[in-house]
Amino acid sequence: MIKVMCAKAELIPAPVPADERVFSYFKSAKRVGVGTIANRWHGTLKRSGFRPSIDIWDFVQFCLAVCSADLSSPRRTSADGWTRNIQLTVGLCNPDRWLPLKSDLEGMLKVLTGDYWLLNFNNAGMEPPQGDGAFLSNDCVSLLSGGLDSLIGGIDLVAKGRKPLFVSQLAHKDSERQRAYASMLMGNGSHYQWSHGISFKGSREPSTRGRSLAFYAFALLASTKINLPKPTIFIPENGVISINPPLVPGRVSSLSTRTTHPMFINMLQRVLDNLDIHVQLELPYRFKTKGEMMRECLDQDLLQKWAADSTSCGRFRTYNRQHCGRCVPCLIRRAAFLAWNPGADTTSYRFGSVVGSDKSGAPDDPMAVALAILDVRKRGLDRFLGGSLAFASIKERPMYRRVLQQGIKELETVLVQDKLL
C-alpha cells in the first residue's frame, strides 16, 4: 500500500510519517521529505481576483492531491508492474461534505487510473483565495491543449458567436502554441495557463492517467469567472480517442487512457452535482471522428492556416518536440488529414511511413491498429468491440458504434497508404 498525504504546510505532522509521501499545498513546507503542490499559486489567484466557493476550492485541492499521488507512485514497484494500491489522505476545508462521496470518488479514480484507491479526508486544507471576485465577459469555458481537437473546438465556439474562456495546462513548447491560439480566437484576457507545479524528490511515474484531473480542476476554477448560474465546460475530443477501445487484448482497462471517456465524464459530473457545484461538462464531439471534426469545422480558412501547427503526438517529448507519426494519436491525426484534405498535412513526422519505422522500445502501435482492423474484417465490429460500449445508453450506443466504425475506416486508409495492409 502506497500512502500519500496532502495538507497545508502548517498542519503537516511533525515528524513527517516515515511510511508516507507528504505534500504541502501552495507553498513550501521547507522540511525534508515534504513535496510541494503549485507553490505560490494561491497568491497569484488572489491577485487575479479569484474568490471560489469552498466546495469548488476543495475540488481543486482534491484533484491536485490525486495528481501528486499519481506522480509520486511509480507503477513499476507494484506486483503486476501497473496496478497500484494507493491510500490518499486529502486535506480539505470542509471534509464532511466529501465523506458521503468517498466510494463514488474511489470508483471514479479506479476507472481513470486502473488503481485501487482508499481515500481519507481531513480538515488540513488551505483556505480559498479571497480575490475581488470580479467576473469576465466570457460565456463558457473550453479546454485548450494545443492539440487539433481543442483548436477546432475553439474555432467552432467563436464561429457560433460564443465567447469562450480558454484554459490550458502549461507544457513546454505547447505553451506558446496555446497562447497563440487563444489570442487568435479571442484576443487577450480570455486565457488561463496553469501548472500543477508538483515538486518532490524521488522517482516520478511517467504514465499520465491521473493528471488529467488537474485540467478539470483548472477548468472548474476558471468557470467561477463566468457570471452564469451553470457555466458549460467544453471538452473538445473526438469520439474515437474518448472511447479508446482496446486495439488488442493487452490494452484493456486503464492501459488505454480514459481521460475523456464518456463514462468517466459522467461519473465526474455526478460528483460535481452531489457537491452542488453548478457546471455542465460537455463532450461536443463524442459522436464524431477527428476527420469529421476537420471536415465540419465552421471556419475552414482558419483551420487550413493552423491545423498542421497543432500537436497530437503521444510521444512528442520523446522525439524532441516532433511528431513521431506512428503512435495511435499520430495515426488518427494522419487519418483525419487524409479524410479532410490529403495535401494539407505539412506536419513534420519523424517517421514518414509506419513500415520500417523504429518503435524505440515503445508499444508497436501500427501493428496494434493493423491487428484491430484485421479483427474487424474477420469477426465484425461488434465482436471486436466486445463490451466497450456497455457504458452507453440504448439510445446513444448506435451513435458511439458508428463513430468507432468510421474511425477504424479512417485509420485503415493510413495503413493502406503506408502499405502495412
Side-chain angles (χ1 to χ4, degrees), residues 45 57 190 277 308 411:
L45 292 174
W57 185 245
S190 291
I277 294 175
L411 281 167

Side-chain angles (χ1 to χ4, degrees), residues 186-365:
M186 283 297 297
N188 296 324
S190 291
H191 185 208
Y192 289 115
Q193 284 181 303
W194 292 317
S195 170
H196 58 61
I198 296 169
S199 174
F200 63 96
K201 291 184 178 180
S203 299
R204 300 169 78 89
E205 167 55 37
S207 69
T208 57
R209 297 297 184 264
R211 262 150 283 164
S212 59
L213 274 179
F215 217 161
Y216 296 124
F218 296 159
L220 189 64
L221 186 62
S223 75
T224 65
K225 284 289 190 177
I226 295 175
N227 190 16
L228 289 171
K230 192 173 185 177
T232 299
I233 295 173
F234 289 101
I235 305 162
E237 184 74 272
N238 69 82
V240 179
I241 284 289
S242 285
I243 301 168
N244 205 8
L247 297 171
V248 292
R251 297 189 180 203
V252 297
S253 188
S254 64
L255 294 175
S256 293
T257 180
R258 290 176 167 178
T259 298
T260 62
H261 195 287
M263 179 171 63
F264 169 71
I265 297 299
N266 287 338
M267 296 174 85
L268 181 57
Q269 182 72 64
R270 286 197 297 272
V271 166
L272 296 174
D273 292 345
N274 286 327
L275 289 169
D276 291 326
I277 294 175
H278 302 296
V279 297
Q280 182 63 47
L281 304 177
E282 185 71 36
L283 285 165
Y285 303 109
R286 66 191 184 279
F287 301 130
K288 295 184 187 296
T289 68
K290 203 181 199 82
E292 290 167 343
M293 287 178 66
M294 296 186 80
R295 286 201 305 271
E296 298 169 21
C297 179
L298 298 178
D299 191 328
Q300 290 290 316
D301 290 338
L302 267 185
L303 184 61
Q304 187 75 41
K305 180 177 179 180
W306 292 98
D309 172 77
S310 64
T311 302
S312 300
C313 185
R315 299 172 191 143
F316 203 54
R317 291 187 179 185
T318 304
Y319 293 110
N320 195 27
R321 311 295 165 180
Q322 183 183 19
H323 286 78
C324 72
R326 70 182 322 278
C327 67
V328 169
C330 274
L331 292 172
I332 290 175
R333 175 191 179 91
R334 292 177 60 200
F337 271 97
L338 287 173
W340 173 57
N341 183 355
D345 193 0
T346 58
T347 307
S348 173
Y349 295 108
R350 182 178 178 89
F351 304 112
S353 170
V354 299
V355 176
S357 59
D358 176 20
K359 67 178 184 177
S360 299
D364 194 348
D365 286 359

Side-chain angles (χ1 to χ4, degrees), residues 36-53:
T36 307
I37 300 171
N39 192 28
R40 300 181 180 178
W41 188 46
H42 190 278
T44 300
L45 292 174
K46 179 180 178 181
R47 290 189 294 274
S48 299
F50 281 89
R51 195 184 183 93
S53 68

